[in-house]
Amino acid sequence: MVVFHVHRIAQRLNHSTLSSVLLHDSGHVSLLKMGSSRSINTAAKFRTWGLLPSNCSNVTSPCTSRTSYGPLSRYQIFLGLRHNEYCTTPGNGEKQTISVTFVDKDGEEKQIKVPVGMSLLEAAHENDIELEGACEGSLACSTCHVIVMDVDYYNKLEDPTDEENDMLDLAFGLTETSRLGCQVIAKPELDGIRVALPAATRNFAVDGFKPKPH
Amino acid sequence: MALSRALSFYRSFSTVPSQSLRVCIVGSGPAGFYTADKILKAHEGAEVDIVDRLPTPFGLVRSGVAPDHPETKVVTNQFSRVAQNGHCSFIGNVSLGSSISLAELRELYDAVVLSYGAESDQALGIPGEELAGIYAAREFVWWYNGHPDCRNLAPDLKSSDTAVIIGQGNVALDVARILLRPTAELATTDISCHALAALGESSIRKVYLVGRRGPAQAAFTAKELREVLRIKDLSIEIRQEDLSKTPADEEELKNNRIKRRIHELLSKAATPATSICSPGQKELHFVFFRKPDRFLESDCRNGYIAGLRMERTILKEDVGSGKKIAVGTGLFAEMECGLVLKSVGYKSIPVDGLPFDHHKGVVPNVQGRVLSEAYGDAQVEKGLYVCGWLKRGPTGIIATNLYCAEETVASISEDVLRGAVTSRSGLSKPGREGLLQLLDSRNVKVVTFGGWEKIDNEEKRRGSLKNKPREKLTTWQDLLEVATK
């Protein structure tokens, strides 16, 4: 179990490292955007849970050898900054949770408590909600697509990055308030958020499939 | 609507035990594994066997997904959990059509789902296509991904500095990226060692991506395009005039988010008229509105490619489909090249006894149920289903198979419920035991999931010595030896 977690953390950090540096390279994205909810909050979460040492360079280094996209220093500085700012909110003792409602393909609702810092993808899996996660949150697929049902909550989320938008491009049944579940990280302002799983029936329609009546 | 009814229908009996249901899935790629997963969830007690002609599972996740896309391969974790389910077996090294016939499989199992994909290629059908130096992109992909059937491809990357890729989909971008990315970056991926060595010595410096239509019709997606545009020290050439939009293009882009974002990326990367690339720098040229006309043979090397003649095209709306099609203008130009990769689509191959629509290149089916004829008065083939590329044609992403499998399994479930799958006599089919017996009598050495895990461990061990996630075993002999050790 521990091995599994560390592996996932490495994957996530690897990914966030990658995308942060890529965003930086593109030169079109402000520094503020670099500290998007995805890369930073996820890392902060692992710290909160005591899974990462305070200096995470030894966790990220094996991954950078795989991607070799560039220096980490700025990314790490950001990690540190956001980490401090972030960790004062939930406190060190009990985990703060928010309420999240998932509405499944048949319209059935399930309300769950999600610890602040956890992604909706992980929360769904911990609560046996059928949300696919083919790439396990490494931002390489669109299977954890969720639709934020209230636009006010949607607006409380940070804008999707180019990389998330690239995946949303391929999501079935995309809507104006679609997000990837792995990129929506629980935070106090999101308490009460409702998200719908896209209905399978719409998927083929989007893909050019026209169901014929019997 | 029919599908939605079918789905709610199948959910409503998803807990009904179906002890006797024995299903064989042919092909262990995403379509096969998603089908297995959905059958196991919908039918408690069902036994599912996934056969594959290779000793290794996961189909294109292993031999198609580019080595520098490790995150896309994470889905194999999920597939492995399916294979480790007590009611599921992976049976590798079993080739439908030679180890066992389709008719035999249908005798052995209540239901057979064919999801063996598309292992051949569309041809361009132009003169010179048989010249040496011209490959299907699929072969090249299999080569760098260590597929045992293409490990000896040995594409010539040394006698020319120019490669032409025909087609503008994601496979085209994948092969362009592999040709152009610094090999130091590829060295830490699971790329096959023979490909890494050949790419390290490659003299290919210029890659042309040729498409018949324009940027508004290109089939690649934003992630892959963004990636290739960001390759280190690569000069990108996209002609400004190709990016001008007709009112029809404007309309198409307005309604299509993917195409709109692609067009924006291309526009940002379009070459200013004054840009000059530094000597020795690698170049990627996006060539729109050009149709390959004929391949040109080398004067000094008999039977080898030396160039390509292309015809300038313009777009016309096809009256029937309303689609924009490219039509020739009669203006031709020639270019030199020493390597051509045709990336114009994969093609499925039928097996004996399988109805096949040669025009569409798929098995005729209704929601995954195989039909006896492609056209006219067709009957449903009892207990025979399709999923994935064999069902829909070779398009879509891994996740497309999730929904594709959901549909096929809904059809199976519906048929099970109305008694159209299991035999009326109540006698259960031999299933796995029968299959293994038959294969044994033919001296077919099957590879179980345990056998694959031995391959997996060995590949990871070899990879760890080179700072790679794995070093793939690329010969049939090595694969079988390690699997049965």
Side-chain angles (χ1 to χ4, degrees):
Chain A
M1 216 42 210
V2 172
V3 176
F4 176 68
H5 270 298
V6 171
H7 174 66
R8 300 249 319 237
I9 292 161
Q11 261 175 5
R12 283 165 163 276
L13 280 179
N14 172 32
H15 191 82
S16 47
T17 307
L18 173 75
S19 49
S20 303
V21 176
L22 289 180
L23 286 171
H24 170 235
D25 283 350
S26 78
H28 298 296
V29 182
S30 70
L31 291 181
L32 187 66
K33 181 130 183 182
M34 278 182 63
S36 68
S37 60
R38 166 164 43 83
S39 44
I40 306 306
N41 284 356
T42 327
K45 169 185 69 177
F46 293 123
R47 286 248 179 59
T48 320
W49 292 351
L51 283 165
L52 272 187
S54 56
N55 177 352
C56 73
S57 60
N58 50 352
V59 176
T60 50
S61 56
C63 314
T64 50
S65 66
R66 199 173 63 176
T67 52
S68 64
Y69 268 89
L72 289 173
S73 52
R74 185 173 289 188
Y75 163 72
Q76 284 172 322
I77 292 165
F78 262 88
L79 261 185
L81 284 177
R82 276 297 288 257
H83 165 59
N84 291 339
E85 178 191 324
Y86 187 82
C87 275
T88 52
T89 326
N92 293 327
E94 282 199 12
K95 272 179 252 160
Q96 192 183 346
T97 62
I98 65 166
S99 157
V100 175
T101 303
F102 283 88
V103 182
D104 77 9
K105 292 165 184 174
D106 301 322
E108 275 171 40
E109 298 195 4
K110 187 165 182 179
Q111 196 186 58
I112 59 171
K113 293 277 175 218
V114 181
V116 164
M118 184 185 271
S119 77
L120 292 197
L121 172 63
E122 283 167 291
H125 284 184
E126 290 203 353
N127 290 277
D128 293 325
I129 289 163
E130 275 204 49
L131 181 62
E132 290 283 338
C135 78
E136 298 175 5
S138 59
L139 209 48
C141 77
S142 52
T143 56
C144 66
H145 172 205
V146 295
I147 297 162
V148 181
M149 297 178 77
D150 183 337
V151 73
D152 289 337
Y153 278 103
Y154 178 81
N155 290 335
K156 287 180 189 173
L157 300 169
E158 300 190 35
D159 286 345
T161 58
D162 285 346
E163 285 72 17
E164 184 182 349
N165 272 323
D166 289 352
M167 291 301 120
L168 284 170
D169 273 356
L170 309 174
F172 297 100
L174 189 73
T175 71
E176 291 289 318
T177 61
S178 288
R179 293 300 299 258
L180 295 183
C182 65
Q183 303 303 308
V184 179
I185 312 295
K187 55 182 179 178
E189 307 93 282
L190 296 180
D191 188 32
I193 190 171
R194 288 159 57 83
V195 296
L197 310 185
T201 43
R202 249 186 309 185
N203 299 321
F204 270 102
V206 170
D207 207 25
F209 178 85
K210 291 184 185 64
K212 293 186 200 85
H214 278 303
Chain B
M1 268 351 281
L3 179 64
S4 120
R5 270 208 306 276
L7 285 173
S8 52
F9 181 53
Y10 116 79
R11 276 190 209 100
S12 65
F13 60 81
S14 61
T15 50
V16 172
S18 24
Q19 251 90 16
S20 60
L21 186 66
R22 293 181 165 201
V23 184
C24 184
I25 296 169
V26 181
S28 66
F33 266 105
Y34 277 129
T35 302
D37 186 31
K38 307 248 167 242
I39 291 175
L40 291 166
K41 279 181 181 153
H43 298 271
E44 206 185 314
E47 292 213 351
V48 178
D49 298 335
I50 309 176
V51 305
D52 201 292
R53 75 176 185 91
L54 292 179
T56 53
F58 311 137
L60 282 186
V61 182
R62 180 174 163 98
S63 64
V65 173
D68 54 350
H69 285 171
E71 63 287 346
T72 307
K73 304 186 195 202
V74 170
V75 71
T76 57
N77 292 343
Q78 188 182 342
F79 295 159
S80 297
R81 288 194 292 273
V82 175
Q84 283 152 352
N85 179 312
H87 292 279
C88 185
S89 286
F90 170 76
I91 306 173
N93 198 32
V94 175
S95 176
L96 178 65
S98 57
S99 318
I100 191 149
S101 72
L102 179 59
E104 287 166 339
L105 272 189
R106 292 179 71 181
E107 276 299 308
L108 289 166
Y109 289 88
D110 297 310
V112 173
V113 184
L114 302 177
S115 55
Y116 62 72
E119 295 204 309
S120 181
D121 317 282
Q122 298 288 351
L124 288 165
I126 60 172
E129 206 167 342
E130 71 295 338
L131 290 172
I134 304 174
Y135 305 94
R138 175 190 59 82
E139 297 172 301
F140 189 74
V141 170
W142 280 13
W143 170 72
Y144 66 62
N145 276 332
H147 191 295
D149 287 354
C150 283
R151 64 114 41 230
N152 296 318
L153 189 74
D156 180 3
L157 308 178
K158 278 159 95 172
S159 32
S160 160
D161 68 350
T162 306
V164 170
I165 299 167
I166 298 170
Q168 294 182 329
N170 281 340
V171 175
L173 284 185
D174 276 352
V175 296
R177 199 175 67 250
I178 296 298
L179 283 170
L180 293 168
R181 230 182 135 170
T183 40
E185 291 177 12
L186 295 174
T188 50
T189 69
D190 67 2
I191 192 168
S192 65
C193 57
H194 53 258
L196 186 64
L199 288 164
E201 295 176 356
S202 163
S203 57
I204 302 287
R205 201 173 58 74
K206 291 184 278 186
V207 173
Y208 291 80
L209 271 175
V210 177
R212 287 180 302 177
R213 299 187 289 168
Q217 290 80 31
F220 38 63
T221 56
K223 179 196 170 190
E224 280 73 14
L225 179 59
R226 199 185 298 283
E227 230 176 342
V228 83
L229 296 177
R230 278 177 184 160
I231 293 176
K232 254 191 257 168
D233 301 326
L234 179 68
S235 160
I236 304 283
E237 198 193 272
I238 301 166
R239 289 144 50 104
Q240 292 280 8
E241 63 260 41
D242 284 345
L243 290 161
S244 60
K245 292 175 273 188
T246 64
D249 285 340
E250 296 268 15
E251 192 59 27
E252 190 169 349
L253 295 177
K254 205 174 80 188
N255 297 321
N256 189 322
R257 170 188 155 116
I258 302 181
K259 297 247 185 306
R260 186 171 64 241
R261 297 184 71 238
I262 291 286
H263 203 278
E264 283 166 12
L265 278 172
L266 288 170
S267 303
K268 265 189 214 161
T271 329
T274 53
S275 89
I276 304 164
C277 73
S278 54
Q281 194 180 11
K282 290 187 177 177
E283 303 164 23
L284 175 62
H285 300 253
F286 287 81
V287 182
F288 296 103
F289 304 111
R290 294 290 188 286
K291 184 166 82 172
D293 179 62
R294 64 173 59 232
F295 295 106
L296 309 170
E297 187 176 348
S298 166
D299 291 333
C300 43
R301 264 177 110 195
N302 254 354
Y304 280 81
I305 176 103
L308 170 66
R309 189 168 117 112
M310 295 185 289
E311 185 179 10
R312 168 108 216 177
T313 65
I314 50 167
L315 292 184
K316 284 242 169 85
E317 193 170 303
D318 181 52
V319 184
S321 64
K323 276 187 183 167
K324 300 280 182 308
I325 53 165
V327 292
T329 57
L331 299 170
F332 293 89
E334 291 181 0
M335 65 176 294
E336 286 181 16
C337 63
L339 175 73
V340 172
L341 299 172
K342 297 179 291 176
S343 180
V344 292
Y346 290 13
K347 200 170 83 179
S348 290
I349 310 169
V351 292
D352 267 353
L354 178 66
F356 198 75
D357 181 338
H358 289 273
H359 179 65
K360 290 184 186 152
V362 298
V363 171
N365 72 91
V366 175
Q367 290 165 1
R369 293 181 184 94
V370 174
L371 297 176
S372 60
E373 309 280 338
Y375 303 98
D377 199 14
Q379 312 282 312
V380 169
E381 291 278 334
K382 188 185 162 195
L384 188 59
Y385 303 86
V386 278
C387 189
W389 281 4
L390 195 57
K391 169 183 168 190
R392 325 176 254 112
T395 60
I397 54 173
I398 292 175
T400 314
N401 295 295
L402 183 64
Y403 306 106
C404 191
E406 212 158 85
E407 186 191 63
T408 295
V409 174
S411 294
I412 297 174
S413 299
E414 215 177 81
D415 294 350
V416 167
L417 195 72
R418 62 164 191 246
V421 169
T422 40
S423 62
R424 290 212 175 82
S425 61
L427 289 173
S428 60
K429 296 265 189 138
R432 187 176 309 158
E433 294 72 29
L435 174 66
L436 292 176
Q437 244 168 41
L438 189 60
L439 292 171
D440 190 50
S441 75
R442 290 178 184 164
N443 213 15
V444 176
K445 298 273 172 271
V446 304
V447 174
T448 61
F449 201 73
W452 150 247
E453 284 172 328
K454 286 184 192 165
I455 295 173
D456 189 35
N457 287 335
E458 176 61 12
E459 289 185 342
K460 284 177 176 159
R461 188 190 67 79
R462 293 185 189 197
S464 68
L465 306 172
K466 299 180 179 175
N467 196 22
K468 294 175 73 168
R470 71 173 66 238
E471 182 63 67
K472 285 182 186 170
L473 302 176
T474 58
T475 66
W476 282 92
Q477 196 191 343
D478 284 354
L479 286 163
L480 292 173
E481 237 171 58
V482 170
T484 51
K485 204 160 46 183

